[in-house]
Amino acid sequence: MSETNTGTSSGTQRVRKQRKPKKSQIPYAILLTALIIAFGFYLGQGNNQLPVYWGFGIAFGYILQRSRFCFTAAFRDPCITGSTSVTRAVLVAVALSSVGFWAIKYASALKGGETNLNMAGVSPIGLPLALGAVLFGIGMVIAGGCASGTLMRVGEGFLMQMLVLVFFIAGSAWGAHDMGFWGKFNENAPKVYLPDMFGWFGAILVQGMIIVLLYIAAAKWQEKKMGTME
């Protein structure tokens, strides 16, 4: 027994000796940070807003990479693993963005802005929406990432996601080209705009209640499937 333990420990020590020590990535990080700052100053020479966009993009990409934020995982993980941690993160993000968009549109309404702003971005609930949602859902599960997840993994160097990004752009361009054709199916399709149905404050209340109920359902689902909360 002791000989076996001695042999195992010596083998482990040989493996440890054979492993090369990891190189420090701090110099690369300093160099990359310097390049990011330098490029920001370069952009500022042409337009004062460009450095802001550049900084926001860098920060957004960093948050996506560190949080592993992906809409695909939000819908896939509860079915495959039972985990709803990403699902709940998406619900929190939707809640925060809902408050922001509500504030922007409500402020415009108080100032007597154009009523077209109210319906801006509201898509008809018709055949194109349903068909596109199903096809996109299938595609993003097969590809292993949505738009945000694909961009994040491209930055990490995943070759598969680079190929996905190429076809993502091609599909988007194709869809934009055929938008007029698909619009024919939406001539009688309804548009749902909560402020028209419940008023401004009623709309944000209903939206919040729906998100809270979905969050509770996601938490209960994980407890049922995994027996624990992350």
Side-chain angles (χ1 to χ4, degrees):
M1 186 69 176
S2 59
E3 292 180 357
T4 303
N5 293 336
T6 303
T8 303
S9 61
S10 61
T12 303
Q13 291 176 359
R14 285 196 298 269
V15 172
R16 289 178 179 176
K17 290 180 180 179
Q18 292 175 358
R19 290 179 180 176
K20 295 181 180 180
K22 294 182 179 180
K23 294 182 179 180
S24 175
Q25 296 184 346
I26 294 179
Y28 298 102
I30 295 175
L31 177 60
L32 180 60
T33 302
L35 291 175
I36 290 174
I37 296 174
F39 190 68
F41 279 107
Y42 172 77
L43 292 175
Q45 296 177 0
N47 189 330
N48 292 332
Q49 294 181 345
L50 290 180
V52 178
Y53 300 153
W54 173 246
F56 178 82
I58 294 295
F60 187 66
Y62 178 80
I63 293 173
L64 284 180
Q65 196 276 332
R66 299 304 298 174
S67 64
R68 316 304 298 175
F69 189 88
C70 182
F71 285 93
T72 302
F75 292 97
R76 178 193 60 205
D77 290 356
C79 300
I80 297 179
T81 65
S83 173
T84 61
S85 58
V86 181
T87 307
R88 286 178 278 122
V90 168
L91 289 173
V92 172
V94 171
L96 295 175
S97 61
S98 297
V99 174
F101 280 109
W102 176 87
I104 292 173
K105 291 195 172 186
Y106 183 57
S108 176
L110 291 178
K111 294 179 180 179
E114 296 182 5
T115 56
N116 291 336
L117 179 62
N118 294 343
M119 297 302 292
V122 180
S123 300
I125 304 177
L127 177 63
L129 178 64
L131 183 60
V134 172
L135 291 177
F136 183 76
I138 295 174
M140 72 177 185
V141 171
I142 294 175
C146 57
S148 58
T150 298
L151 291 174
M152 178 260 294
R153 290 181 178 88
V154 166
E156 291 181 335
F158 283 82
L159 296 178
M160 175 63 180
Q161 300 309 120
M162 294 180 184
L163 182 62
V164 170
L165 180 61
V166 171
F167 284 94
F168 200 116
I169 296 173
S172 299
W174 188 2
H177 179 270
D178 293 343
M179 188 65 69
F181 168 78
W182 291 106
K184 298 177 181 178
F185 296 93
N186 285 329
E187 293 178 355
N188 298 321
K191 287 187 176 183
V192 178
Y193 189 60
L194 294 183
D196 289 342
M197 300 176 63
F198 303 104
W200 285 100
F201 290 96
I204 195 64
L205 180 61
V206 170
Q207 178 98 344
M209 290 177 60
I210 293 174
I211 294 174
V212 168
L213 291 176
L214 289 174
Y215 190 97
I216 295 174
K220 294 294 184 181
W221 177 266
Q222 179 166 317
E223 289 182 354
K224 178 181 178 181
K225 294 295 182 178
M226 303 182 65
T228 182
M229 288 289 294
E230 297 178 358

